[in-house]
Amino acid sequence: MSADGPTVSARPTGQVQPSVARGRADPCTMVIFGALGDLSRRKLLPGIYQLMKEHLVDQSFSVLGVGRDDSQTDDTFRSAMRVALGQSDEVQGFDEALWQELCPRLHFVSADLTNGADYAVISKRLEEIERDRPKEECNHLFYLAVPPSVFEPIVRNLSKSGLAPRTRTADERPWTRIVIEKPFGHDLETAQQLNDLVLGLFAEHQTYRIDHYLGKETVQNVLVLRFANSIFEPIWNRQWIHHVQITTAENVGVEDRGKYYEEAGVVRDMFQNHLLQLLALTAMEPPPIMSANAVRDEKVKVLKSIRWLTPGTIPENAVRAQYTAGAIKGKPVPGYTQEANVAPDSTVPTFAAVRLFVDNWRWNGVPFYLRSGKRLASRVSEIAVQFRSPPHLMFGQTSDVMRPNTLVMRVQPNEGVALNFEVKVPGAAVALTSNIEIAPVDMEFNYSEAFGEVAAPAYETLLLDVMIGEATLFTRSDEVEAAWRVVDPLIQYWESHKPKRMPTYAAGSWGPREADELIEADGVEWREP
Ligand code: BG6
């Protein structure tokens, strides 16, 4: 039973329709810059391990880790990765035999990536690793798992050293692909500069700007739900939809990333990428085909249709706040300004709620409420589409006690979809002509219940896509810039208008009172999933 009433479940009722698009990866060496860092240990290695487990990488697949630490060797790198896999939540039931297969494929070389001369060492190591591989199979995937401050020297050195030549077409072999982690730029201007630099050295088809949210099973499911079914499309518009709430809430605080977070804040960290991607997928028009450019064209159109926030409209459409000390799962936790590497008088927001409008024919006048924060009451990401109330109620209830239908796409956890609607409570005690008792129920589809497996970790999906050359789940240069255009005015306004009193919320709550007021002004309430 859900909190609101009974639940009915959805199960697969037919055969799985396999896709022809995804396949096995090309032979390649994945070169990880920043191989001993957090991302590499927590996400990339587990992703590689899963790909090996599912036999999705090529027989000759190998990894070359690159890091500054010159005390590291192949052996110490392998041991560190073994520990990382053992600790990862994304690896279910560590398989020693599989590790024995993966271990010899891992190599390490120490280099200062800002020093052009060190790229000869990387090149030499690659030659040794690929000694027995035909030239056309010496494909290279360069993964920049490094701080953004060194993106620029690295892409310059990659190109100058000849390690990553520009290719004219996506079909050329061997291929070279470059994966760039977020944040892609610090604002619109720096994102444009980075795009200019990267696209001056490499082709767009070689460049993979990662937003790991796009690799999440349920985020991809937004497209399938909308466009592989015909029942949603006729009502997916301003006539039937009252508003959309997009939430990415986290339990965790800034952890050991205080230094990064002080520079970023929640808008750069979550809105510019993850939340705007969720909005774009929810609001986009159906593309003619499922190809990288067709999908991205439609997403760019949505991002460009978002009404610009201005200094005049920001105060009534956006709320920022910071967490103070509180409790998460019963344990006391400190406030943001007490975290390591955070200024005691910091005004960097750890929470934001924003009302946006997509000014086009389909969405005119429909508010999209976006919110995200750290140290909130629960870890949940979802897109909730709330439909309009029935135009006329004849069962005796008033519209304020009836909950309008809501379709919730749960990104995480409990990945799935729920549709909420009203039913008659059984019982013949009341005659049909008088008041009928009505209750809301949830029709539930839960991925793991229906398919008996947990969703593939986002990085597994995305790494495979890079190895296949499938760019649909990566952001194109114009898309990244269009997203910055949406958030830049807000960031600039907040940075230049420091609050007299920073709004706060206790860790473990659902955010500040000001966020409730923002949405309640429209007669709506935030969901508390
Ligand atoms: C990252 C942000 O992009 O996404 C983090 O930098 C955030 O601050 C993380 O915690 C959330 O991702 P997920 O997959 O845990 O929801």
Side-chain angles (χ1 to χ4, degrees):
M1 250 184 51
S2 79
D4 300 308
T7 296
V8 279
S9 295
R11 298 195 183 284
T13 48
Q15 280 195 341
V16 174
Q17 301 298 320
S19 150
V20 283
R22 282 208 166 75
R24 250 170 87 119
D26 289 338
C28 74
T29 303
M30 176 168 168
V31 184
I32 307 178
F33 290 160
L36 291 161
D38 203 48
L39 179 72
S40 171
R41 285 183 285 114
R42 283 183 40 218
K43 300 287 180 188
L44 303 183
L45 253 290
I48 291 168
Y49 173 92
Q50 288 297 130
L51 287 173
M52 294 257 323
K53 186 170 173 187
E54 287 160 38
H55 309 288
L56 290 168
V57 292
D58 184 78
Q59 288 293 327
S60 66
F61 171 76
S62 29
V63 174
L64 175 59
V66 186
R68 280 186 85 116
D69 185 350
D70 59 11
S71 67
Q72 296 282 339
T73 61
D74 283 354
D75 285 342
T76 57
F77 178 58
R78 288 169 183 165
S79 316
M81 295 303 117
R82 166 74 182 81
V83 173
L85 287 173
Q87 289 170 346
S88 168
D89 308 337
E90 291 182 5
V91 171
Q92 321 283 327
F94 183 80
D95 178 348
E96 189 57 42
L98 184 66
W99 167 248
Q100 291 309 326
E101 258 186 72
L102 173 59
C103 177
R105 295 166 186 245
L106 303 180
H107 310 269
F108 184 84
V109 66
S110 144
D112 172 0
L113 292 165
T114 60
N115 177 5
D118 281 18
Y119 285 67
V121 188
I122 302 173
S123 180
K124 191 158 163 279
R125 232 19 247 286
L126 278 172
E127 277 168 31
E128 285 164 16
I129 295 167
E130 296 169 344
R131 208 179 305 122
D132 303 325
R133 222 187 272 177
K135 170 97 175 73
E136 65 280 8
E137 292 190 3
C138 292
N139 300 311
H140 294 150
L141 184 169
F142 292 101
Y143 201 113
L144 272 60
V146 290
S149 55
V150 287
F151 285 173
E152 183 185 329
I154 292 179
V155 291
R156 281 191 198 285
N157 285 332
L158 264 176
S159 169
K160 205 160 148 214
S161 64
L163 257 182
R166 185 190 187 95
T167 52
R168 268 191 319 116
T169 67
D171 305 330
E172 263 176 66
R173 293 291 179 273
W175 52 250
T176 304
R177 295 177 187 146
I178 293 123
V179 183
I180 305 182
E181 264 293 335
K182 73 173 264 275
F184 194 92
H186 188 68
D187 51 20
L188 175 61
E189 197 183 333
T190 49
Q192 281 169 333
Q193 285 163 0
L194 187 55
N195 269 331
D196 288 349
L197 172 72
V198 171
L199 296 177
L201 301 170
F202 312 107
E204 179 69 47
H205 66 252
Q206 295 179 272
T207 313
Y208 290 74
R209 298 170 196 78
I210 220 163
D211 179 330
H212 79 280
Y213 255 63
L214 294 178
K216 291 183 192 277
E217 205 84 72
T218 36
V219 173
Q220 297 165 59
N221 189 44
V222 175
L223 290 187
V224 177
L225 190 78
R226 289 193 54 201
F227 303 135
N229 295 295
S230 58
I231 56 168
F232 299 114
E233 192 49 24
I235 53 170
W236 210 258
N237 56 46
R238 59 190 296 271
Q239 256 183 308
W240 298 101
I241 294 179
H242 183 266
H243 73 267
V244 178
Q245 287 188 29
I246 302 181
T247 302
T248 59
E250 297 186 90
N251 278 149
V252 291
V254 287
E255 300 179 295
D256 52 2
R257 296 162 78 219
K259 193 159 164 277
Y260 153 79
Y261 205 84
E262 280 281 273
E263 295 276 305
V266 66
V267 181
R268 286 192 181 90
D269 191 45
M270 298 294 288
F271 279 69
Q272 188 275 339
N273 32 70
H274 312 325
L275 277 108
L276 286 181
Q277 285 294 329
L278 296 180
L279 183 155
L281 291 166
T282 309
M284 69 192 252
E285 297 301 314
I289 49 168
M290 184 69 186
S291 79
N293 277 335
V295 171
R296 297 189 291 184
D297 286 347
E298 296 304 337
K299 284 198 286 165
V300 170
K301 281 191 217 159
V302 173
L303 294 171
K304 286 188 174 168
S305 310
I306 295 177
R307 190 182 303 165
W308 283 22
L309 292 164
T310 65
T313 61
I314 287 172
E316 72 200 48
N317 285 293
V319 164
R320 59 180 150 174
Q322 237 176 30
Y323 61 84
T324 53
I328 299 280
K329 294 180 192 154
K331 282 208 185 113
V333 294
Y336 177 65
T337 51
Q338 286 109 49
E339 302 274 17
N341 298 316
V342 170
D345 58 352
S346 172
T347 53
V348 167
T350 59
F351 173 99
V354 183
R355 182 197 289 112
L356 292 176
F357 289 94
V358 179
D359 282 339
N360 63 16
W361 193 285
R362 186 191 284 264
W363 294 112
N364 192 283
V366 178
F368 284 73
Y369 303 102
L370 275 54
R371 82 184 147 157
S372 180
K374 298 230 177 251
R375 288 279 191 233
L376 290 178
S378 64
R379 175 181 183 254
V380 51
S381 297
E382 62 163 42
I383 304 165
V385 177
Q386 188 177 308
F387 293 91
R388 294 191 182 280
S389 300
H392 171 63
L393 287 171
M394 59 210 187
F395 302 112
Q397 288 79 7
T398 52
S399 60
D400 54 323
V401 297
M402 300 267 294
R403 232 181 49 174
N405 303 127
T406 312
L407 180 76
V408 182
M409 295 172 268
R410 284 192 309 264
V411 173
Q412 63 193 22
N414 303 329
E415 288 80 355
V417 180
L419 178 66
N420 172 273
F421 50 78
E422 301 290 324
V423 295
K424 177 185 177 298
V425 177
V430 273
L432 251 184
T433 46
S434 68
N435 289 357
I436 290 182
E437 263 195 292
I438 289 179
V441 289
D442 279 346
M443 195 153 71
E444 272 279 333
F445 157 68
N446 182 296
Y447 260 97
S448 57
E449 251 179 50
F451 293 103
E453 50 188 68
V454 280
Y459 276 86
E460 178 190 348
T461 307
L462 295 172
L463 287 177
L464 179 61
D465 278 0
V466 183
M467 293 180 206
I468 292 173
E470 167 57 64
T472 310
L473 302 180
F474 296 82
T475 38
R476 206 170 52 189
S477 54
D478 53 343
E479 195 177 350
V480 169
E481 291 178 16
W484 275 117
R485 254 182 220 106
V486 175
V487 295
D488 243 16
L490 180 61
I491 295 172
Q492 275 169 21
Y493 181 86
W494 277 348
E495 287 181 355
S496 58
H497 292 76
K498 299 281 179 209
K500 284 195 198 80
R501 183 195 66 83
M502 184 73 185
T504 55
Y505 58 102
S509 71
W510 268 110
R513 177 73 214 134
E514 288 81 349
D516 296 340
E517 286 163 5
L518 175 117
I519 202 166
E520 283 165 12
D522 298 346
V524 176
E525 281 180 3
W526 289 111
R527 289 169 45 79
E528 293 193 356

